[in-house]
Amino acid sequence: MTPIPKTANVSPSTQRNLRRRPLPLKLIVGAILCSFLLFIAVIGPRLAPYPRDWSEKIAYEMTEEGPVAVYPPRPPSTAHWLGTDRWGYDIFSLILYGAPWTIFTALAVACARVFVGACLGLVRGTRAGEAPSLRNTGPLGALPHFLVVFFVMAGINTASPLHPWQLVLIQGLLMTAVGVPAIASSLSEKVYTHKRAQFVEAAESLGAGRVRVGIRHIVPMLREDLMLLVLTEVILVLTLLGQLGIFNLFLGGTKLGLDPPAYYSITNEWAGLIGQSRASLQVNQWTVLAPLGAFVSAVISLYVLLRGLEQWTREGLARHSYLSR
Amino acid sequence: MPTILRYAGPARHVLRERTSISIPPIIRRPAYLLGCLLGLFLIAGLPEVFYVQGGVLHVDPLALPRSIAGYVHGLFTGESFTYGAHWASRSFIDTLRYTLPTSLRYSSIALTISLLLGLSFGVLLGARRREAAQDLLGGVGVLPDFVLALLLQIAVVAIFKETGLRLARTASISVEEQAVLLPLIVLSVLPTVYLMRDVSHRVFEVSTKEYVLVARAQGLSTARTTWRHVLPHALVHVRANATKLAALMLGNLFIVEYLFNLRGVTRLLFAWAGSRYYEFALVFNSLVVTIGLFFILVIAMRLLLSAIQEAAARL
């Protein structure tokens, strides 16, 4: 049998047009913001102005009314850009130290989710026969993801003998597992739609098997969807991390102070910084605002990139509403 | 006039079919119910399977069947409906008397607000595609619930510090002084944004259909076309997504009840977190009640949407 010619792998015209279209502004801004985020994640710890174990001590300052004791937490100043927290740590440094944990974990979990989800979706969608049934996850699917992760990690994350890396690995696997079913089911539907496209049918009638159809014809059709999905999932994983942080479950381990009971993040990941400073929300707001700001700017950067990508990939598919005029 | 072009609105039989409330499979199929219960047992049992004691990590898979057996046994003796150490034991049913109404009150008000706002603004947005509005909506929708809650709390405290004006309570400090405004805002914002995006998307999709063009060509006004021809069809999809929306609201409820210190059902799930002993029965019971709350939300949402759909179709 003659090998299937290269031209059988036709990509749709919309995809070919992609390269000629001008990049939307949102995409450029988003890409710059996200590269900055990655940059911070890679070399953030080296940029930190204070060493990891440095903390401000109680000191006396001479004022006109005599010596005044100054003690942490101190509001933002030139020495401490984002102020210091209750224990005198420089918050700006903490955020930089926590950046790699936060960002790389979110990225890795999102990629793992999409990879596993895509494999499962491909297998389910290309299976011969009827359309993949929209799997109803039932009432258990209604329980928020953080609950499942929380109930596993609650027993082992606080005052844990495990190394932060091991805890991150366990939590990462869990966070991947809870996110896979939704991705798999939505992708299997898409795969099924593509599978019924005429060019796939043509390839099949030329003798292409299920694996070849999957890899050569369907995966290229899904490329944009997968790209968008990874970004969406990074945002979702960050949200999940943040929610766990609110419940004192910090990525990489929670240290427990007993008198008074207080929770500290070992890795200084951003959700942990938010969670551990939440108690001082009424008094020293900068201690919450700074990590919250870092977290929100990460989410917004990802969102801008996501919107830009969406706009870029979906342009040319515009339709007209008959209601508007 | 050629009769073939006359469009009589959404076919009644389609609507009738879609607006009937189907019995959820959890009641129809016993095996399904059993699976759900096992799933809940598994979640509730997890903290007893993996735990740290004396600086050593323990994995005890047998704890799960033990706890389940204990729970089932406790069902007959009544022990499964009490919690707390034996000298301070409380009845779960008594606790429900105040926690369930609290959760129901907050979530039903939030549900009504988000349905009203989400639907009306969604229709407005869907008829005209505005990229900027979509961007902004998506941007708010992408912010996690806890960020919104914390930002609102910080803002209220900051305003109080600056002006001495107490806009709202940042947390409940007693039964009489419950935080109301902020929890309701946080609970309604995300579902509203979700609905607005969903509805506007669906309305736009439907409005590109040719029968809408036909309706317009027959001289129907925008308002009438929207109500009679676009909305009922758009709502079919929104109704199908009711479980997703309810799940979103439930997830928000967990965060809101915790952050604003409300005495709701979902708080019971974390009641053991500070104490030395894990309360399997309490957690399992609360999970069951939480799932019940989810079903109440879904059914309420479906009923409301059906009512709107019917009203629109009869107009």
Side-chain angles (χ1 to χ4, degrees):
Chain A
M1 203 177 95
T2 48
I4 300 164
K6 263 267 182 260
T7 45
N9 186 16
V10 183
S11 64
S13 56
T14 46
Q15 216 162 10
R16 252 185 280 131
N17 285 344
L18 270 183
R19 274 155 212 104
R20 266 177 255 144
R21 240 176 280 145
L23 296 176
L25 182 67
K26 268 176 257 170
L27 183 60
I28 299 169
V29 174
I32 293 172
L33 288 175
C34 285
S35 344
F36 180 68
L37 205 63
L38 271 180
F39 175 75
I40 292 288
V42 174
I43 67 158
R46 274 178 230 171
L47 293 180
Y50 292 90
R52 213 173 274 263
D53 50 1
W54 183 91
S55 72
E56 196 182 30
K57 305 291 179 297
I58 297 174
Y60 283 94
E61 242 171 39
M62 288 307 286
T63 60
E64 285 167 13
E65 290 143 27
V68 175
V70 287
Y71 47 86
R74 312 256 335 250
S77 60
T78 44
H80 304 288
W81 288 0
L82 298 176
T84 57
D85 70 4
R86 263 157 79 195
W87 301 278
Y89 292 112
D90 178 56
I91 296 177
F92 184 57
S93 303
L94 290 186
I95 289 177
L96 288 176
Y97 286 126
W101 293 95
T102 318
I103 293 163
F104 288 132
T105 310
L107 203 61
V109 171
C111 290
R113 275 181 176 187
V114 173
F115 180 75
V116 179
C119 291
L120 286 178
L122 264 180
V123 170
R124 246 159 66 186
T126 53
R127 197 179 289 157
E130 288 190 8
S133 61
L134 257 182
R135 182 98 78 80
N136 186 1
T137 41
L140 289 186
L143 291 176
H145 286 165
F146 76 84
L147 206 67
V148 181
V149 182
F150 177 84
F151 271 74
V152 181
M153 297 303 290
I156 57 175
N157 200 56
T158 307
S160 179
L162 296 176
H163 192 267
W165 271 113
Q166 291 169 310
L167 287 171
V168 169
L169 194 69
I170 297 173
Q171 192 174 330
L173 287 175
L174 271 171
M175 291 195 294
T176 307
V178 292
V180 162
I183 299 178
S185 94
S186 87
L187 277 179
S188 68
E189 237 180 298
K190 283 201 172 117
V191 168
Y192 182 71
T193 332
H194 290 316
K195 203 194 141 212
R196 287 183 307 173
Q198 282 179 340
F199 67 90
V200 173
E201 212 174 298
E204 271 172 349
S205 59
L206 281 171
R210 205 176 129 197
V211 177
R212 186 177 171 91
V213 164
I215 292 171
R216 299 286 297 176
H217 299 281
I218 292 179
V219 171
M221 295 286 290
L222 289 177
R223 213 181 292 148
E224 296 161 18
D225 284 316
L226 292 181
M227 241 167 18
L228 295 175
L229 211 52
V230 169
L231 280 179
T232 319
E233 289 299 318
V234 176
I235 297 178
L236 287 180
V237 176
L238 277 177
T239 306
L240 180 57
L241 278 178
Q243 288 169 331
L244 290 169
I246 292 295
F247 287 94
N248 296 324
L249 214 145
F250 309 142
L251 179 71
T254 304
K255 230 187 315 182
L256 185 62
L258 283 178
D259 197 21
Y263 300 90
Y264 320 106
S265 165
I266 293 175
T267 58
N268 295 320
E269 52 97 13
W270 295 350
L273 292 180
I274 298 172
Q276 73 183 23
S277 57
R278 201 169 58 81
S280 42
L281 183 128
Q282 308 268 1
V283 268
N284 314 311
Q285 295 177 332
W286 66 89
T287 54
V288 193
L289 264 178
L292 201 61
F295 185 89
V296 171
S297 46
V299 170
I300 296 288
S301 315
L302 287 160
Y303 172 71
V304 174
L305 182 64
L306 178 68
R307 286 294 291 183
L309 259 181
E310 258 175 5
Q311 200 184 335
W312 190 48
T313 51
R314 303 228 164 114
E315 242 167 38
L317 299 170
R319 272 174 299 167
H320 182 71
S321 162
Y322 296 126
L323 276 179
S324 52
R325 211 62 30 225
Chain B
M1 199 205 293
T3 43
I4 197 161
L5 268 183
R6 186 171 293 155
Y7 175 67
R12 275 289 156 76
H13 69 273
V14 174
L15 277 182
R16 217 172 300 129
E17 213 170 84
R18 306 268 183 166
T19 47
S20 66
I21 299 277
S22 60
I23 307 162
I26 195 163
I27 300 165
R28 257 184 301 150
R29 295 209 306 265
Y32 189 76
L33 179 68
L34 201 68
C36 286
L37 283 181
L38 272 180
L40 293 184
F41 271 130
L42 180 67
I43 296 176
L46 283 170
E48 286 182 312
V49 177
F50 306 98
Y51 62 95
V52 171
Q53 203 171 40
V56 186
L57 175 75
H58 294 267
V59 179
D60 181 11
L62 286 178
L64 187 64
R66 234 180 5 247
S67 307
I68 298 176
Y71 180 82
V72 174
H73 181 253
L75 281 180
F76 298 105
T77 60
E79 269 170 47
S80 294
F81 297 106
T82 56
Y83 68 99
H86 56 275
W87 45 268
S89 114
R90 267 170 288 176
S91 153
F92 180 73
I93 309 292
D94 282 345
T95 315
L96 272 191
R97 279 208 192 107
Y98 60 85
T99 52
L100 193 56
T102 307
S103 292
L104 272 177
R105 205 177 310 130
Y106 279 99
S107 45
S108 59
I109 296 176
L111 177 74
T112 319
I113 295 175
S114 37
L115 271 181
L116 284 178
L117 291 181
L119 282 182
S120 35
F121 283 104
V123 171
L124 284 178
L125 262 175
R128 325 210 135 82
R129 214 87 214 208
R130 294 243 169 81
E131 269 300 308
Q134 293 285 341
D135 279 347
L136 189 71
L137 265 187
V140 176
V142 92
L143 286 182
D145 35 19
F146 72 91
V147 170
L148 216 56
L150 290 179
L151 284 178
L152 282 174
Q153 287 178 328
I154 291 174
V156 166
V157 174
I159 290 173
F160 174 71
K161 274 187 179 167
E162 286 299 312
T163 64
L165 203 65
R166 266 189 65 180
L167 288 180
R169 291 196 189 96
T170 55
S172 298
I173 33 179
S174 70
V175 185
E176 286 82 32
E177 293 182 80
Q178 300 258 357
V180 177
L181 186 65
L182 297 192
L184 280 181
I185 294 178
V186 179
L187 272 178
S188 1
V189 164
L190 292 184
T192 305
V193 169
Y194 176 85
L195 258 178
M196 270 161 86
R197 296 185 76 194
D198 195 25
V199 171
S200 73
H201 176 70
R202 300 300 176 185
V203 164
F204 179 79
E205 291 273 297
V206 175
S207 70
T208 60
K209 294 269 156 57
E210 257 135 34
Y211 67 79
V212 178
L213 180 62
V214 174
R216 296 308 307 273
Q218 305 243 325
L220 265 65
S221 66
T222 315
R224 194 169 161 78
T225 319
T226 311
W227 259 100
R228 181 95 160 82
H229 302 284
V230 176
L231 195 60
H233 280 183
L235 286 187
V236 168
H237 299 280
V238 178
R239 253 170 56 92
N241 270 342
T243 47
K244 236 187 222 171
L245 189 63
L248 178 73
M249 292 200 69
L250 198 67
N252 287 349
L253 195 67
F254 276 94
I255 301 288
V256 166
E257 286 188 354
Y258 185 80
L259 279 182
F260 291 103
N261 198 23
L262 307 178
R263 300 207 304 173
V265 176
T266 64
R267 278 301 293 279
L268 295 175
L269 277 170
F270 308 101
W272 52 274
S275 81
R276 189 180 290 264
Y277 302 103
Y278 181 66
E279 303 258 9
F280 179 82
L282 171 68
V283 169
F284 179 76
N285 288 339
S286 318
L287 278 174
V288 172
V289 175
T290 310
I291 295 287
L293 189 67
F294 166 74
F295 277 120
I296 295 176
L297 281 178
V298 172
I299 291 172
M301 212 176 296
R302 292 230 163 116
L303 281 175
L304 274 170
L305 284 171
S306 303
I308 296 171
Q309 231 176 341
E310 275 293 307
R314 267 158 214 237
L315 205 75

